[in-house]
Amino acid sequence: MGKFIKAGRVVVLLQGRYAGKKAIVVKVFDDGSKARPFDHCLVAGVAQAPLKVTKRMSKKKITKRQRVKPFVKYVNYSHIMPTRYQVPAEVQPATLVTDQQMDSPDGRIEAKKYVKKLLQEKFLTPPPDKSGKPSKDVIYLRKKLRF
């Protein structure tokens, strides 16, 4: 069977603090690493999705409701469920987070800030797909999982 968990794939986390949250695979470790001898991946995801906005709301309230709370973490393959969605190439999942950033707490904070900025930008103006409509992959990532 081919490898379908690759960088850019949208996944749903099944275990732990972020169970039920959506994330983007940034880097895969099919053979594990020294610190983690099991197959796993580095993911950047949405801990809190943006809320619904209406015309009647003030600008201040709109900006507050459009905020995104991100997370970055290493996850075992058995704790994620891949979806059919893959983020557009212009998002460049490999540049979201690096291994060096994950080594230190300051690096993680820096990575989260970058992910937050990028996701908020893409959620406000989703990149167009081949037909010119907003990308369904980014729209899926934006919506809260209902279960």
Side-chain angles (χ1 to χ4, degrees):
M1 196 165 107
K3 305 244 186 274
F4 51 87
I5 298 178
K6 294 181 179 150
R9 174 74 60 189
V10 177
V11 296
V12 177
L13 275 64
L14 303 175
Q15 300 286 323
R17 180 179 182 180
Y18 299 107
K21 304 296 182 190
K22 296 173 188 171
I24 302 167
V25 174
V26 176
K27 190 174 180 184
V28 294
F29 300 91
D30 288 327
D31 301 324
S33 62
K34 267 193 172 171
R36 295 171 183 83
F38 47 86
D39 44 350
H40 61 282
C41 57
L42 175 60
V43 297
V46 182
Q48 282 183 344
L51 300 169
K52 186 178 177 183
V53 173
T54 61
K55 281 185 195 176
R56 295 181 61 187
M57 292 180 186
S58 65
K59 287 185 180 180
K60 184 180 175 185
K61 191 167 189 175
I62 288 173
T63 55
K64 190 170 184 175
R65 290 178 73 92
Q66 287 178 336
R67 284 200 189 126
V68 175
K69 186 175 181 188
F71 67 88
V72 290
K73 70 181 298 185
Y74 290 103
V75 185
N76 191 327
Y77 276 178
S78 61
H79 298 160
I80 59 173
M81 181 177 70
T83 63
R84 67 182 184 178
Y85 298 105
Q86 190 126 8
V87 292
E90 61 197 58
V91 175
Q92 297 175 337
T95 61
L96 291 175
V97 189
T98 62
D99 287 331
Q100 290 76 27
Q101 286 178 319
M102 292 297 287
D103 291 340
S104 68
D106 293 336
R108 282 178 184 247
I109 291 167
E110 181 186 312
K112 282 183 203 171
K113 284 180 183 173
Y114 177 71
V115 170
K116 179 178 181 169
K117 189 181 101 195
L118 186 95
L119 287 177
Q120 278 183 305
E121 178 189 313
K122 295 299 176 191
F123 287 169
L124 285 176
T125 56
D129 59 3
K130 291 173 187 160
S131 63
K133 295 179 182 172
S135 174
K136 290 201 183 317
D137 308 330
V138 176
I139 292 171
Y140 173 76
L141 187 64
R142 182 179 201 258
K143 287 185 180 171
K144 189 177 177 184
L145 192 65
R146 304 312 250 164
F147 62 96

